[in-house]
Amino acid sequence: MKALAAGIGAVFLSPLLIAGTGMTLAASAEAVQTTGSVSNCLTDIDADKVADQVTKILDGASGEDVHVEGLDLPTEQIPHAQTIVATGISLDVPKKGQIIALATAMQESRLHNLNYGDRDSLGLFQQRPSQGWGTAQQIRDPVYASERFYKALLAVDGWQQMTVTQAAQAVQKSGFPDAYAQWEPLATALQKAIAATFPGNSDGSGDETGDTAPSGCSTQDGSQYGPIPEGAVPKGYSIPKGADPRARTAIDWAMHQLGTMYQWGGSCTAAHGPDPMGRCDCSSLMQQAYAKAGIQLTRTTYTQVNEGKAVSVKALKPGDLILSRGTAARPEHVGMYMGEGLVIEAPRTGKPVRITPLKDWDVLAARHVL
């Protein structure tokens, strides 16, 4: 693998790609807007189409003939992506690490080798000379910048078990820690397409340890909040600003029931009252929360699994129902997705209404009821 990597580094990192110190190209401020928004979520990337377009660019096609969703100047951006992947291969970084690097560069610079940024940030990864990443000249060299990113990533304990956005944030320490996720599908497609162009290296890595499927854009797993005390709202959580107003109402009402004790068969009409049957079970919490938003749901988990329309866990939105236990056709438990990788639920006898991380759920089905 080392010999192959060395060959790739010599053959594919051409002067065009490594001439970071002499490069004068920089995208305009209008073309590159590095924000924390995750609204431009690219969930339906056609990997085969991306591979076709990548091949055209690497074969010298004009940018007028190439279109890749999420890239504004593919003739400039794809060679930078190739540099990142090739550098990863030369360092024996697994495929997942290459995807993390690509997603990071997409968020930080949109794969443009910028000569400006926040404070003294520069280059593909917006690394800062003042923070020890190297000199301004070094950081503007795409190969050097990629190597520095990979070295920092590999130093993160357990990075291969993290989501893409968690691992990227562990390196970058961004003010927008969740923004990297939106680029994961495109980064995955680019890595696969570019790695396949390297001889004997169809997927970009001989080590698949920790490799996972893309986690999508809108869904985290809640692990960023750490342990959540029962009946408490995790510090820093707020209902996402982009949530449907009806979902916002339902989530807010459900949160007001936090700490009240579970009651199987309870109506959830007076969870704070003295009558146990006024307390909530899992499905009545969902029913009453949505009733406050003007949405009528059926009463039981067995029927709520048929409410609205099915949705992928990768595309969850605040207010979606998440079903677990039992089977997909006949689940025995339901909770409500709150955004930020969190779920509110009335769990079982002896436990209060609480918020739990999505990572603790064995999701059998999810339903969008709005």
Side-chain angles (χ1 to χ4, degrees), residues 75-91:
T75 53
E76 178 185 338
Q77 293 161 299
I78 288 175
H80 286 323
Q82 185 190 41
T83 298
I84 292 170
V85 172
T87 302
I89 293 172
S90 73
L91 295 174

Side-chain angles (χ1 to χ4, degrees), residues 96-140:
K96 182 175 181 179
Q98 298 167 34
I99 292 170
I100 292 167
L102 288 169
T104 301
M106 288 179 205
Q107 171 58 25
E108 297 293 351
S109 70
R110 301 298 190 266
L111 283 173
H112 297 290
N113 192 22
L114 301 179
N115 60 5
Y116 62 88
D118 178 48
R119 288 168 284 190
D120 59 336
S121 300
L122 296 167
L124 292 173
F125 297 92
Q126 289 290 278
Q127 295 155 334
R128 298 179 60 192
S130 65
Q131 299 301 307
W133 288 95
T135 66
Q137 185 179 39
Q138 287 174 323
I139 289 171
R140 289 267 294 135

Side-chain angles (χ1 to χ4, degrees), residues 163-186:
T163 64
V164 166
T165 195
Q166 288 169 341
Q169 174 63 6
V171 175
Q172 299 294 101
K173 298 177 175 60
S174 169
F176 304 104
D178 305 326
Y180 302 103
Q182 64 186 314
W183 301 105
E184 183 177 350
L186 179 55

Side-chain angles (χ1 to χ4, degrees), residues 316-347:
L316 285 174
K317 295 181 179 180
D320 286 346
L321 303 183
I322 299 177
L323 299 111
S324 67
R325 304 177 195 166
T327 67
R330 192 173 173 79
E332 297 176 357
H333 186 56
V334 63
M336 183 184 298
Y337 185 63
M338 303 171 62
E340 303 295 326
L342 299 175
V343 185
I344 190 165
E345 62 169 345

Side-chain angles (χ1 to χ4, degrees), residues 16 51 66-67 70 88 99 109 126 129 157 218 259 289 292 307 321 325 335 344 346 368:
L16 173 64
V66 176
H67 303 282
I99 292 170
S109 70
Q126 289 290 278
D157 186 35
S218 59
K292 304 304 177 185
E307 297 281 3
L321 303 183
R325 304 177 195 166
I344 190 165
H368 187 61

Side-chain angles (χ1 to χ4, degrees), residues 169-367:
Q169 174 63 6
V171 175
Q172 299 294 101
K173 298 177 175 60
S174 169
F176 304 104
D178 305 326
Y180 302 103
Q182 64 186 314
W183 301 105
E184 183 177 350
L186 179 55
T188 302
L190 284 175
Q191 190 280 335
K192 181 178 180 180
I194 292 169
T197 67
F198 296 154
N201 205 68
S202 61
D203 65 1
S205 173
D207 178 6
E208 296 302 310
T209 304
D211 186 36
T212 60
S215 62
C217 300
S218 59
T219 307
Q220 302 169 307
D221 67 1
S223 60
Q224 69 270 28
Y225 290 103
I228 304 171
E230 288 190 335
V233 178
K235 183 178 180 180
Y237 171 78
S238 60
I239 301 173
K241 293 181 180 179
D244 186 294
R246 296 165 295 177
R248 180 179 294 275
T249 297
I251 294 169
D252 180 72
W253 188 88
M255 289 172 66
H256 279 84
Q257 316 315 310
L258 286 169
T260 62
M261 296 304 294
Y262 176 96
Q263 175 61 53
W264 184 84
S267 65
C268 203
T269 53
H272 296 273
D275 181 1
M277 296 311 294
R279 299 174 190 165
C280 309
D281 65 13
C282 65
S283 55
S284 66
L285 178 63
M286 302 299 103
Q287 183 187 49
Q288 293 303 317
Y290 263 111
K292 304 304 177 185
I295 305 294
Q296 299 302 312
L297 299 184
T298 52
R299 172 62 182 86
T300 70
T301 304
Y302 304 135
T303 55
Q304 287 177 2
V305 71
N306 298 313
E307 297 281 3
K309 62 181 181 180
V311 63
S312 167
V313 175
K314 296 180 181 180
L316 285 174
K317 295 181 179 180
D320 286 346
L321 303 183
I322 299 177
L323 299 111
S324 67
R325 304 177 195 166
T327 67
R330 192 173 173 79
E332 297 176 357
H333 186 56
V334 63
M336 183 184 298
Y337 185 63
M338 303 171 62
E340 303 295 326
L342 299 175
V343 185
I344 190 165
E345 62 169 345
R348 61 181 182 274
T349 300
K351 292 289 186 178
V353 175
R354 65 186 184 183
I355 294 172
T356 52
L358 183 61
K359 68 180 180 64
D360 290 348
W361 283 68
D362 181 13
V363 180
L364 297 174
R367 307 294 295 188

